Amino acid sequence: MHTLNLGILAHVDAGKTSLTERLLHTAGIIDEIGRVDDGNTQTDSLALERQRGITIKSAVVSFALDDVTVNLIDTPGHPDFIAEVERVLNVLDGAVLVVSAVEGVQAQTRVLMRTLQRLRIPTLVFVNKTDRAGARYAQVLRDITERLTPHAVAMGPAATGLGTRDALSGAYADGDPRLTGRLTDLLTEHDDALLAAYVDDGGALDPARLRAELAAQTERALVHPVYFGSAVTGDGITALTGGIKELLPAAVGDADGPVSGTVFKVERGRAGEKLAWVRMFSGTVRTRDRLEFGQGPGGASEGKVTGIRVFAGGTDVDAPSAGPGQIVKLRGLGDIRIGDAVGDTRAVGTGHHFAPPTLESVVVPVPPASRGELHGALAQLAEQDPLINLRQDDMRKEISVSLYGEVQKEVIQATLADAFGIGVTFRESTTICLERPSGTGAALEIIDKDDNPFLATVGLRVDPAPPGSGVAYRLEVELGSMPYSLMRAVEETVVATLGQGLYGWRVTDCTVTMTHSGYWPRQSHSHAVFDKSMSSTAGDFRNLTPLVLMAALRQAGTTVHEPMHRFRAELPADTLGPLLPALAHLRAVPGPPSVDGSRCVLEGEIPAVGVHALQQRLPGLTRGEGVLETTFASHRPVSGPVPQRSRTDHNPLDRKEYLLHTVRRTGSGGGLA
């Protein structure tokens, strides 16, 4: 049996979960098809998913298509849960992108398709809801070729009875000139040998060769076959499953090679133990194996596998081992996190494919006395979603979480109440800005000089770097000029300190260079034990580095940048007038409108903080006919008053205040406060 890890992706309400139910029913895994509205689907297992009728967490269910075992992964469609989709992309062999035959290509559809193309994931397109009133064929197909990919090919003609429960989508037979003509045009674009054969054969190609080349180019994500049908009635499902089996590539991997995999989901078992969902790429993992995973500051961690579950027959079952291509749940790896590589930690590439969250909000416990329990609960949620960043302000006794949108608040609120029994409210969301150095700055603190109370010499220089480059750390001192533990303490503290710049925002796109270093080696009085009062420790460097770094950053200066989103609004042309003042109020910068008869398209940029307000106001301003698409664009310098973020550290920008909180202790207990 071959294995295919298949993702189902779409804009919210396009019918992903309904398609999953239909595929399971067709494969004989379930006897009755669940309905999202009834809350009885296989993959929406969370109570909140059933209540709201949307997918929040990705889910895996397995079934067989002849000799292919399909691990089908249902993913969220709502943009607020894009982090779930991001993690799934790292484990897919192929994807089905679902488009509604009624609504057509939507904002999230375009975001997903761009990402699938960038990652070269083989993708079929399924146009769902052919049975719904308002379903369209030609216009939706045109939207797909114009707004998703010009390399789409319809695998069948328009359905008969389109827009009714009797809709029946056909499939082109091999040799049908309507299919062979389109395939020839598309496939010869990417294959010179095929083009030469077309010319040599007098303008005709063998249908079998075209079909084989279609599979090859689909596997390389060069073309995208399009199927029409309905998950509710079963229309077109046979053709789609045939395409999945014939055109999408099965997983490959060496079962005898080194173990390598990637963690795309972490959940807690009934006893509170961690269960890591791992896509295996090569090797075979067995119960009681010791595995390396992750790549933390101290190197990879190691743990013993105490249990393995694999997906089969619509559920997950215990297994003694698992091999390449399989998706498994591993028990026993206590410190494992989402995104970790497993086994050969160098062999698996992961990364972020979507923009990070651009909003944050303070979570307020109700009653306030549950603050301690709240932090623990949020830490568990962040463990399951690495893009939910927690920011704890001990001085104000507040916890903030990063967000993609307002719906996430409702989900976090309901999850905390249902899973942990904690009530919360949220303050108004604010934008997450960032700081970039405006120039170059340097600072130096010398051991036993001036008012430096720490037994350390640290010199740092901050230089600006290109946007998107992140933070780089370099040395202009000899690596062996002092012990590695002290060098490492400086580097780690630099990274942590840059979490709050001159205005309290994370500092990025810079290079920090260590220009000076010095320490006092381990010393003791005659015939005495180690004397901390005359010997440098890592704590000296951890406490001194923030003072030096912030002094250098102050000399360099920083510019605060806010996240901007691109927007595209389609609306009746006569409603453009009322919309423009609203855009100006939200600090949006629209481009020139494109008017085509009674319709108007307006594109531009808007600060992320204004996106939710625009989404709420657009229906009222456009008689309910406006359609809005937004995607993260970039960070731009803030115009007007510079927003500041409250600090959660001991404020190294204020030397006196910082030193009051950071006193060197030299007693027998050791350590630094």
Side-chain angles (χ1 to χ4, degrees):
M1 292 283 285
H2 301 294
T3 301
L4 169 66
N5 293 299
L6 178 69
I8 306 291
L9 298 89
H11 187 100
V12 66
D13 288 336
K16 300 179 314 304
T17 303
S18 298
L19 178 58
T20 298
E21 292 287 308
R22 173 58 67 177
L23 291 173
L24 294 177
H25 182 266
T26 301
I29 298 298
I30 57 176
D31 295 327
E32 291 188 24
I33 296 176
R35 287 173 45 85
V36 174
D37 292 342
D38 295 340
N40 59 352
T41 58
Q42 294 293 303
T43 52
D44 286 344
S45 58
L46 297 179
L48 189 60
E49 292 178 313
R50 298 180 186 276
Q51 292 166 13
R52 293 188 62 99
I54 61 173
T55 302
I56 296 171
K57 294 291 184 182
S58 58
V60 178
V61 64
S62 181
F63 63 92
L65 280 179
D66 295 336
D67 63 342
V68 178
T69 297
V70 178
N71 289 325
L72 193 151
I73 308 174
D74 187 23
T75 63
H78 198 288
D80 283 13
F81 309 110
I82 197 67
E84 279 290 317
V85 181
E86 172 174 338
R87 292 192 285 275
V88 169
L89 293 178
N90 289 316
V91 308
L92 296 184
D93 301 307
V96 174
L97 182 64
V98 185
V99 177
S100 167
V102 179
E103 289 82 10
V105 174
Q106 296 175 279
Q108 189 74 350
T109 322
R110 299 177 70 188
V111 172
L112 292 169
M113 189 59 164
R114 282 196 297 266
T115 307
L116 290 166
Q117 290 176 316
R118 185 168 66 249
L119 297 175
R120 293 293 181 187
I121 295 175
T123 303
L124 309 181
V125 178
F126 181 67
V127 181
N128 192 23
K129 301 185 179 181
T130 53
D131 60 310
R132 292 274 301 276
R136 301 159 297 161
Y137 176 88
Q139 186 175 342
V140 172
L141 189 59
R142 185 168 59 250
D143 276 357
I144 290 171
T145 56
E146 291 178 355
R147 302 178 63 191
L148 286 185
T149 170
H151 304 119
V153 53
M155 301 302 289
T160 58
L162 197 66
T164 72
R165 297 279 296 188
D166 297 323
L168 185 63
S169 299
Y172 291 128
D174 284 349
D176 189 310
R178 292 171 294 180
L179 178 61
T180 57
R182 177 63 175 158
L183 283 180
T184 300
D185 290 343
L186 278 181
L187 301 179
T188 53
E189 278 187 43
H190 304 117
D191 191 317
D192 291 340
L194 192 68
L195 178 60
Y198 173 74
V199 174
D200 293 343
D201 292 345
L205 287 169
D206 177 48
R209 180 171 183 179
L210 279 176
R211 198 79 185 193
E213 187 62 29
L214 173 63
Q217 293 198 20
T218 300
E219 180 175 348
R220 291 155 58 198
L222 296 175
V223 298
H224 303 285
V226 180
Y227 299 84
F228 281 73
S230 167
V232 171
T233 66
D235 173 39
I237 298 300
T238 300
L240 175 63
T241 55
I244 291 171
K245 184 172 58 177
E246 176 190 0
L247 302 177
L248 295 181
V252 295
D254 181 5
D256 298 322
V259 172
S260 71
T262 185
V263 180
F264 69 97
K265 183 173 180 176
V266 171
E267 64 182 9
R268 293 275 178 174
R270 293 182 178 179
E273 77 281 14
K274 274 190 182 180
L275 299 174
W277 296 47
V278 178
R279 156 68 196 263
M280 296 291 296
F281 289 98
S282 72
T284 300
V285 61
R286 299 174 178 84
T287 305
R288 293 185 292 279
D289 280 354
R290 296 198 68 83
L291 286 183
E292 287 192 342
F293 56 87
Q295 281 289 0
S301 301
E302 187 177 84
K304 181 179 179 181
V305 177
T306 59
I308 298 173
R309 294 183 71 83
V310 300
F311 291 90
T315 185
D316 56 296
V317 296
D318 287 322
S321 64
Q326 288 187 286
I327 291 178
V328 301
K329 293 182 183 181
L330 298 183
R331 182 184 287 106
L333 309 179
D335 296 327
I336 203 162
R337 301 181 62 188
I338 291 172
D340 280 352
V342 172
D344 185 353
T345 56
R346 301 163 299 172
V348 181
T350 60
H352 295 315
H353 312 302
F354 296 96
T358 56
L359 301 173
E360 68 177 356
S361 178
V362 173
V363 189
V364 182
V366 181
S370 61
R371 183 175 289 109
E373 292 87 345
L374 173 61
H375 184 271
L378 286 173
Q380 279 201 36
L381 293 185
E383 180 183 87
Q384 298 170 21
D385 188 344
L387 292 183
I388 292 182
N389 298 314
L390 298 186
R391 185 172 183 269
Q392 183 159 348
D393 187 338
D394 291 328
M395 290 179 282
R396 293 170 180 79
K397 307 297 183 185
E398 294 177 349
I399 303 174
S400 300
V401 295
S402 56
L403 303 165
Y404 278 101
E406 298 301 311
V407 173
Q408 243 181 320
K409 287 183 179 178
E410 300 175 38
V411 172
I412 292 173
Q413 184 181 47
T415 303
L416 289 171
D418 295 344
F420 301 95
I422 299 172
V424 298
T425 60
F426 288 85
R427 293 192 191 152
E428 184 178 356
S429 298
T430 56
T431 303
I432 301 175
C433 297
L434 57 80
E435 298 181 44
R436 290 177 172 140
S438 305
T440 295
L444 170 64
E445 294 267 356
I446 300 176
I447 195 169
D448 205 27
K449 294 276 188 171
D450 301 323
D451 61 346
N452 177 6
F454 306 108
L455 301 186
T457 292
V458 175
L460 298 171
R461 185 178 69 248
V462 177
D463 296 295
S469 59
V471 175
Y473 181 78
R474 296 175 182 167
L475 296 177
E476 282 185 0
V477 298
E478 292 291 335
L479 183 59
S481 61
M482 63 182 187
Y484 176 75
S485 62
L486 305 185
M487 287 285 195
R488 188 67 180 170
V490 175
E491 181 178 355
E492 291 175 350
T493 307
V494 163
V495 173
T497 304
L498 289 176
Q500 299 180 81
L502 303 183
Y503 299 94
W505 305 103
R506 180 176 62 88
V507 181
T508 188
D509 300 334
C510 64
T511 300
V512 179
T513 305
M514 189 174 189
T515 58
H516 298 79
S517 66
Y519 75 109
W520 284 357
R522 292 176 64 93
Q523 300 180 60
S524 61
H525 298 286
S526 298
H527 309 294
V529 296
F530 164 62
D531 189 344
K532 193 169 190 180
S533 67
M534 51 194 295
S535 307
S536 299
T537 67
D540 286 298
F541 287 86
R542 293 186 188 281
N543 285 333
L544 180 61
T545 296
L547 284 174
V548 179
L549 180 58
M550 297 309 289
L553 198 63
R554 178 182 275 143
Q555 187 181 99
T558 63
T559 303
V560 176
H561 293 66
E562 65 178 334
M564 301 290 292
H565 283 236
R566 283 186 297 272
F567 74 86
R568 183 181 190 273
E570 296 183 14
L571 59 148
D574 61 350
T575 65
L576 178 61
L579 178 62
L580 291 176
L583 291 173
H585 178 73
L586 296 171
R587 296 190 293 121
V589 182
S594 173
V595 180
D596 182 9
S598 62
R599 304 297 295 174
C600 172
V601 175
L602 189 65
E603 298 183 354
E605 291 196 344
I606 182 172
V609 72
V611 169
H612 182 62
L614 181 57
Q615 291 169 335
Q616 290 183 313
R617 297 190 61 183
L618 188 68
L621 293 168
T622 61
R623 301 190 299 272
E625 298 181 43
V627 178
L628 180 68
E629 298 177 9
T630 65
T631 56
F632 174 79
S634 63
H635 283 86
R636 299 288 175 85
V638 172
S639 58
V642 177
Q644 296 199 36
R645 193 191 210 184
S646 59
R647 303 193 71 88
T648 61
D649 57 10
H650 294 315
N651 192 14
L653 288 168
D654 186 328
R655 187 182 187 91
K656 184 175 180 181
E657 178 187 343
Y658 180 81
L659 292 178
L660 281 173
H661 290 92
T662 316
V663 180
R664 189 170 200 275
R665 293 192 298 225
T666 59
S668 59
L672 292 160

